[in-house]
Amino acid sequence: LATRSFWLLLFCSATPSAILTALTFHHVSIMAQIELSVEMAAMILSAQALVRLPMVFLAGIVVDRANPRVMMIMNQGLLFLGICILYIANGMTFAVIYGAVTAVMLGFQIIVSNVVWPYYYGRQSLGSIRGVTMMVSDISSALGPLPFGVAFDVFGGYQEVLLLSLFFPAIGMIAAFFAKKPIKL
């Protein structure tokens, strides 16, 4: 808790939890705004799961060879890209690309979020660290859909909240970049 890197990485972990939960909770409504049926929206979610499955396996291989900080930057970039694609989406093609990009991001996020903490802080206090990070991720997941619901009620759509959501992975990329591994004294 006393290191700056912990808080920067915690932000990087909380951001996907909040935004991806919001996008999942509001998925059918978001897809309806780009004139896709409930069935097509469901197909995109199913395709996301199919893409994510091999990505988890691939992420395990890649993360063993790459710096977890770089992987965090990549994940924030993929989240940013996914939101951008959804923001400009106007039909099935963009919706499928959005689904694929977020599925890749999720596949890597699952692995990176479990590797980054022992990489930075070792295993001695891993239970305490993961307890805090999981609590923050759960709170983020619980609160993430709320701004999307408010945006829909106030604006009648999601464009404004999607635009606002772009700031979080952008800040996350910067946070991950500055989250240097602490030097143990």
Side-chain angles (χ1 to χ4, degrees):
L1 296 176
T3 67
R4 182 180 71 166
S5 291
F6 176 82
W7 297 103
L8 294 171
L9 294 172
L10 189 60
F11 180 84
C12 293
S13 294
T15 296
S17 295
I19 293 173
L20 291 174
T21 302
L23 292 173
T24 301
F25 275 40
H26 295 275
H27 182 75
V28 171
S29 182
I30 292 169
M31 294 297 120
Q33 292 209 313
I34 57 174
E35 300 180 5
L36 296 182
S37 67
V38 171
E39 293 81 14
M40 296 309 287
M43 192 266 319
I44 290 168
L45 278 180
S46 298
Q48 276 183 310
L50 291 174
V51 171
R52 188 173 63 223
L53 186 63
M55 286 303 110
V56 172
F57 178 73
L58 178 63
I61 295 168
V62 172
V63 170
D64 280 343
R65 292 164 176 76
N67 184 322
R69 183 171 66 100
V70 172
M71 300 308 296
M72 285 287 235
I73 295 168
M74 180 199 77
N75 270 2
Q76 296 294 313
L78 285 171
L79 181 57
F80 184 88
L81 178 61
I83 296 167
C84 285
I85 292 167
L86 189 57
Y87 182 78
I88 64 168
N90 60 2
M92 186 64 172
T93 302
F94 280 106
V96 169
I97 295 168
Y98 150 78
V101 168
T102 55
V104 170
M105 185 269 163
L106 267 169
F108 274 84
Q109 181 68 20
I110 291 166
I111 302 302
V112 172
S113 66
N114 285 307
V115 171
V116 71
W117 303 109
Y119 175 81
Y120 271 71
Y121 300 103
R123 295 184 306 170
Q124 185 175 352
S125 300
L126 189 56
S128 299
I129 291 168
R130 290 302 286 153
V132 170
T133 60
M134 289 304 296
M135 178 190 65
V136 170
S137 288
D138 287 349
I139 291 169
S140 298
S141 290
L143 297 177
L146 297 176
F148 278 68
V150 170
F152 185 82
D153 290 345
V154 171
F155 301 112
Y158 298 98
Q159 292 301 101
E160 294 81 4
V161 76
L162 286 171
L163 197 57
L164 178 66
S165 295
L166 285 170
F167 286 103
F168 294 95
I171 293 167
M173 284 187 278
I174 296 166
F177 178 79
F178 286 107
K180 306 288 188 208
K181 188 173 178 181
I183 298 169
K184 190 173 184 177
L185 300 175

